[in-house]
Amino acid sequence: MMTTNQLIDVALKAGEILLRSGAEVYRVEDTIFRIFKSYDVDCECFVLLTAIFITAKPKGSDNVSVIRRIKGVSYNLHRIELVNSFSRNLQERPISYQEAMEILEDIENATQYNFISRLVVAGLTALVFTLLFNGNILEAFIAFGISLILYAFKEKYSVIGFLPFFEYFVSGVIAAAVCLLALSFNPSLNIYIIIIGSIMMLLPGMALTSGIKDALHGDTVSSLYRLTEAMFISVALGAGVGVTLSIGLRLV
Amino acid sequence: MKECILAFFGSLFLAILINVDRKKFFWVGLPGSLGWAAYAWLLDATREVIFATFVGAVVVGVYSEIAARKLKSPATVFSISGAFPLVPGVGAYNTVQMIVEGDMNGALGTGIETIASAAAIAAGIMLASAIFRIMKRPM
């Protein structure tokens, strides 16, 4: 029904979509195993956050090994869900290569929310978290404004795309600078709450938690990768805010 | 009560930013508010941040496992969204902020607390999923 190479192709594609959507390492390995099992072929696979290694062991012919390099993660829960149900369906009813690849292409191109609604949602996130951290309404609306700027910047930036962590440094600078501007109009504001609320969506909460989740599953290498990433993001953000505030607070 | 509603929307909005399915809006917001309710109540009663975070995460984990079975999608979808209000991103940021300001003792304290809370969340969610896995296995 499928040659070994085609099967590897399908498994790699499914694994790549999962990894690039921010799925845990054990889930990717599980899915690849499940796809191979549906077609009754033995396999070994080893997944890092930056690469997938698969060796297929078809009965009666030579083993085949492949590596795929993975670049660029953008967290996407919907895709994880779709690939998950794809691999489960495969187990019940194996399908042909063309069909499988078409389904995976569709998953890869599944629609996202448009820019305007994501922008508004980013703003609302800041608003809600500022209130949750006991900020008042005025502070919440300032945070709303800041995170609109930050999200627009982030989207524009990902089009240009150079140094990955520099983006976070600049975001920190922007957030702190706007806060200082607001502070000069109204000195009673609590700028720390505003800054924290507005950068909430940039903070590496998911990387931090999945890093430890990976560690508890025994995937130590991937866990270290994620924790380091989380550390660099917080350092870049904090440095951006800190530098701006320490200069700015003396001027205001 | 006000905080629970805020935590509901906090979870939901962050989940939308990582592209959650339209049909699950209510179901990804709910664990945020349940987890936060447990966390806030325990924090008030015991003043133990890490313990409160752990219990909040267990609540999120149990909810996610049940929801995953009812709604037929991976538990991660619900647990990631539900954990957002608990996640110590703020702690991570505060730590660096203190380092920049030169407050090394403060940074050490917050830094350790941040790592411990992150571990508590992961452990809480995994505990719930382990329990469900054992229960599912035929005796």
Side-chain angles (χ1 to χ4, degrees):
Chain A
M1 189 183 264
M2 241 195 241
T3 67
T4 312
N5 278 322
Q6 286 176 334
L7 183 54
I8 290 175
D9 229 29
V10 171
L12 273 180
K13 185 100 184 161
E16 187 180 351
I17 295 175
L18 279 180
L19 264 187
R20 290 173 59 117
S21 311
E24 308 91 323
V25 166
Y26 66 88
R27 183 183 303 283
V28 181
E29 287 181 351
D30 257 14
T31 305
I32 291 174
F33 270 126
R34 202 177 296 140
I35 290 175
F36 272 91
K37 223 174 131 196
S38 323
Y39 292 92
D40 209 23
V41 177
D42 284 338
C43 83
E44 284 296 331
C45 78
F46 173 54
V47 174
L48 293 175
L49 287 171
T50 46
I52 300 176
F53 305 72
I54 299 180
T55 297
K57 304 173 182 167
K59 292 178 188 88
S61 62
D62 290 340
N63 292 355
V64 186
S65 290
V66 282
I67 298 176
R68 167 130 348 149
R69 180 79 166 88
I70 308 293
K71 270 185 185 153
V73 173
S74 75
Y75 290 101
N76 190 324
L77 289 179
H78 193 40
R79 277 192 208 147
I80 297 180
E81 218 180 312
L82 290 174
V83 175
N84 199 57
S85 58
F86 164 78
S87 72
R88 276 175 203 282
N89 289 342
L90 212 57
Q91 227 169 1
E92 280 160 25
R93 193 181 66 87
I95 52 179
S96 75
Y97 176 70
Q98 275 79 14
E99 257 182 290
M101 283 314 257
E102 262 167 39
I103 294 176
L104 287 172
E105 299 268 318
D106 282 349
I107 293 177
E108 215 173 16
N109 302 325
T111 51
Q112 294 205 354
Y113 302 108
N114 63 29
F115 177 65
I116 297 297
S117 48
R118 272 180 292 149
L119 189 68
V120 173
V121 165
L124 290 173
T125 311
L127 185 98
V128 164
F129 277 103
T130 311
L131 291 174
L132 194 60
F133 299 141
N134 293 321
N136 60 30
I137 297 287
L138 178 63
E139 287 163 354
F141 275 101
I142 295 173
F144 178 85
I146 293 175
S147 74
L148 289 188
I149 302 171
L150 290 185
Y151 197 78
F153 168 74
K154 189 179 170 219
E155 290 287 298
K156 281 273 174 291
Y157 187 93
S158 61
V159 177
I160 313 167
F162 48 130
L163 299 171
F165 295 106
F166 187 63
E167 168 190 353
Y168 291 96
F169 180 79
V170 178
S171 301
V173 171
I174 295 176
V178 178
C179 269
L180 286 170
L181 194 67
L183 193 70
S184 65
F185 288 110
N186 182 350
S188 68
L189 291 171
N190 182 344
I191 53 171
Y192 290 98
I193 288 185
I194 303 179
I195 291 176
I196 290 175
S198 57
I199 62 175
M200 192 67 196
M201 57 171 185
L202 299 175
L203 289 175
M206 192 167 163
L208 202 62
T209 318
S210 5
I212 292 181
K213 234 167 154 181
D214 277 340
L216 292 180
H217 266 274
D219 301 317
T220 335
V221 179
S222 304
S223 144
L224 283 178
Y225 179 96
R226 273 203 233 260
L227 291 179
T228 316
E229 193 189 4
M231 201 181 75
F232 279 152
I233 293 176
S234 347
V235 167
L237 268 175
V241 173
V243 168
T244 315
L245 281 189
S246 59
I247 297 171
L249 282 178
R250 279 183 203 132
L251 297 177
V252 171
Chain B
M1 192 60 210
K2 190 191 103 197
E3 287 192 352
C4 289
I5 296 171
L6 287 175
F8 178 93
F9 285 107
S11 283
L12 172 57
F13 291 148
L14 281 175
I16 294 175
L17 285 182
I18 53 172
N19 208 46
V20 76
D21 187 10
R22 239 165 259 269
K23 284 169 231 147
K24 299 205 175 59
F25 277 1
F26 178 72
W27 304 110
V28 297
L30 195 57
S33 103
L34 292 176
W36 183 270
Y39 165 80
W41 180 67
L42 269 171
L43 188 63
D44 221 33
T46 62
R47 299 269 126 220
E48 300 265 359
V49 180
I50 293 162
F51 177 64
T53 309
F54 175 74
V55 176
V58 172
V59 171
V60 171
V62 170
Y63 170 90
S64 312
E65 294 294 326
I66 297 172
R69 280 165 181 68
K70 292 265 181 254
L71 299 168
K72 301 245 180 299
S73 50
T76 334
V77 172
F78 307 103
S79 61
I80 286 178
S81 326
F84 272 133
L86 303 175
V87 155
V90 175
Y93 162 78
N94 274 337
T95 311
V96 177
Q97 178 80 40
M98 285 174 180
I99 293 175
V100 172
E101 286 167 1
D103 178 7
M104 290 301 159
N105 286 328
L108 194 61
T110 348
I112 292 173
E113 193 178 277
T114 302
I115 295 170
S117 322
I121 294 174
I125 291 172
M126 305 271 277
L127 177 72
S129 94
I131 291 172
F132 271 78
R133 215 169 281 177
I134 294 167
M135 272 167 35
K136 214 178 77 180
R137 199 176 291 161
M139 290 297 169

